């Protein structure tokens, strides 16, 4: 009888201990804070460097401070970036290098839409004329992109600026609220460049002598040079002719001594 009572007491103690352990475990797990979800901004520069072939774009965004501005927009409705590859930048390096810092920033912002557009949305976009972040820095109607789906039956997306036409070559990153697409050309805004920007300035016309007509040279400089040379030669000949005449006169004239 005593053994039964002791056994029942042991079982009761174990049950109480187990119940207390379960209560403590429940309290501990219910009060522990849930791990916070990952929140933007994503580091755009790191994404581009990890993706490779975007070193020029990553450096330009970082040096200009535009990368941090892009990352701020991720907290709102999102942002979509069209990033030229290193090869695409190579053909426009000299043109971009000549720009002052504020205009370089405008060109970079011209490659961004102030909304998150995955590729499917771009392929079915209703209004092809889209303002960019450069539009927000200037005025409505300026620095816009014309985004359309190619009519050749493919799913390719074309982006036109009025000066340059590019296409999306691949998706670099797509996670709401950030989409990054590689494009085949640097997007040059027509509001900043024009067709004559791609050619060197014409040389100033050469000053022509009165009464002379331009020669075969494009600006008449060859004719001017030949006219100047001929005039100098005639003066030289006249000078030596006068000297020779004087000497002959002195030799033939009688001595005045």
């Amino acid at each position: 009888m005593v053994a039964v009572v002791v056994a029942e007491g042991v079982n009761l103690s174990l049950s109480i201990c187990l119940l207390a352990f379960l209560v403590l475990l429940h309290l501990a797990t219910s009060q522990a804070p849930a791990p916070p979800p990952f929140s933007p901004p994503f580091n755009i520069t790191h994404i581009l460097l990890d993706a490779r072939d975007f070193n020029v774009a990553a450096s330009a965004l970082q040096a200009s401070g535009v990368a941090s501005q892009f990352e701020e927009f991720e907290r709102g409705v999102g942002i979509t970036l069209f990033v030229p590859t290193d090869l695409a930048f190579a053909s426009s390096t000299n043109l971009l290098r000549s720009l002052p810092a504020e205009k370089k920033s405008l060109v970079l912002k011209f490659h961004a839409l102030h909304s998150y557009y995955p590729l499917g949305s771009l392929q079915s976009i209703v209004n092809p004329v889209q303002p960019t972040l450069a539009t927000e820095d200037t005025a409505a109607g300026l620095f816009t992109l014309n985004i359309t789906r190619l009519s050749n039956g493919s799913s390719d997306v074309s982006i036109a600026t009025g000066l340059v036409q590019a296409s999306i070559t691949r998706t670099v990153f797509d996670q709401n609220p950030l989409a990054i697409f590689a494009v085949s050309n640097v997007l040059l805004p027509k509001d900043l460049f024009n067709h004559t920007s791609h050619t060197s300035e014409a040389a100033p016309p050469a000053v022509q002598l009165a009464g002379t007509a331009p020669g075969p040279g494009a600006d008449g400089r060859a004719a001017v040079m030949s006219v100047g040379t001929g005039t100098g030669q005639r003066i030289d000949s006249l000078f030596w002719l006068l000297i020779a005449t004087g000497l002959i006169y002195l030799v033939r004239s009688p001595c005045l001594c």
Side-chain angles (χ1 to χ4, degrees), residues 40-42 44 65-81 109 112-116 132-134 136-137 176-178:
F42 299 111
I44 293 174
V66 174
S68 60
Q69 296 179 42
F70 284 173
E71 289 164 1
E72 291 176 5
F73 285 108
E74 295 175 31
R75 299 184 183 279
V77 293
I79 189 171
T80 302
L81 305 181
K109 293 177 181 180
L113 304 181
H114 192 178
S115 286
Y116 165 69
T132 64
L133 292 186
E136 298 182 9
D137 281 2
N176 194 357
L178 173 64

Side-chain angles (χ1 to χ4, degrees):
M1 183 68 180
V2 174
V4 172
V5 172
V6 171
E8 289 179 352
V10 171
N11 290 336
L12 180 62
S13 299
L14 290 174
S15 299
I16 293 174
C17 291
L18 180 60
L19 180 61
F21 173 75
L22 292 174
V23 170
L24 291 175
L25 180 62
H26 173 72
L27 291 175
T29 54
S30 62
Q31 291 178 359
F38 183 79
S39 60
F42 299 111
N43 191 309
I44 293 174
T45 304
H46 287 175
I47 291 173
L48 292 176
L49 291 175
D50 290 343
R52 303 184 183 278
D53 202 28
F54 300 99
N55 296 313
V56 177
S59 298
L61 289 171
Q62 186 69 28
S64 63
V66 174
S68 60
Q69 296 179 42
F70 284 173
E71 289 164 1
E72 291 176 5
F73 285 108
E74 295 175 31
R75 299 184 183 279
V77 293
I79 189 171
T80 302
L81 305 181
F82 305 111
V83 185
T85 62
D86 291 340
L87 183 61
F89 266 112
S91 60
S92 303
T93 299
N94 292 334
L95 191 63
L96 297 173
R97 187 179 295 157
S98 62
L99 293 177
E102 65 274 9
K103 290 187 177 180
K104 288 180 182 176
S105 295
L106 273 179
V107 172
L108 293 173
K109 293 177 181 180
F110 186 59
H111 289 70
L113 304 181
H114 192 178
S115 286
Y116 165 69
Y117 289 102
L119 184 59
S121 298
L122 293 176
Q123 291 169 340
S124 58
I125 198 164
V126 176
N127 181 13
V129 179
Q130 290 292 317
T132 64
L133 292 186
T135 307
E136 298 182 9
D137 281 2
T138 52
L142 299 179
F143 292 91
T144 59
L145 294 174
N146 193 299
I147 303 173
T148 56
R149 184 173 179 173
L150 296 182
S151 57
N152 58 3
S154 69
S155 59
D156 294 339
V157 175
S158 171
I159 304 172
T161 73
L163 288 180
V164 175
Q165 185 164 356
S167 59
I168 292 177
T169 57
R170 68 184 174 101
T171 300
V172 179
F173 185 88
D174 185 358
Q175 185 174 334
N176 194 357
L178 173 64
I180 302 177
F181 301 100
V183 290
S184 57
N185 289 310
V186 177
L187 305 178
L188 301 177
K190 60 180 173 52
D191 304 288
L192 203 57
F193 299 96
N194 53 49
H195 291 291
T196 58
S197 299
H198 299 276
T199 60
S200 58
E201 295 182 1
V207 178
Q208 299 181 23
L209 296 180
T212 62
D219 55 10
R221 282 176 291 180
V224 173
M225 290 175 64
S226 63
V227 170
T229 304
T231 304
Q233 288 173 346
R234 287 197 296 273
I235 292 173
D236 258 3
S237 299
L238 183 59
F239 174 76
W240 288 112
L241 180 60
L242 290 174
I243 294 296
T245 304
L247 288 175
I248 293 171
Y249 174 79
L250 289 175
V251 168
R252 291 184 177 181
S253 54
C255 183
L256 301 178
C257 299

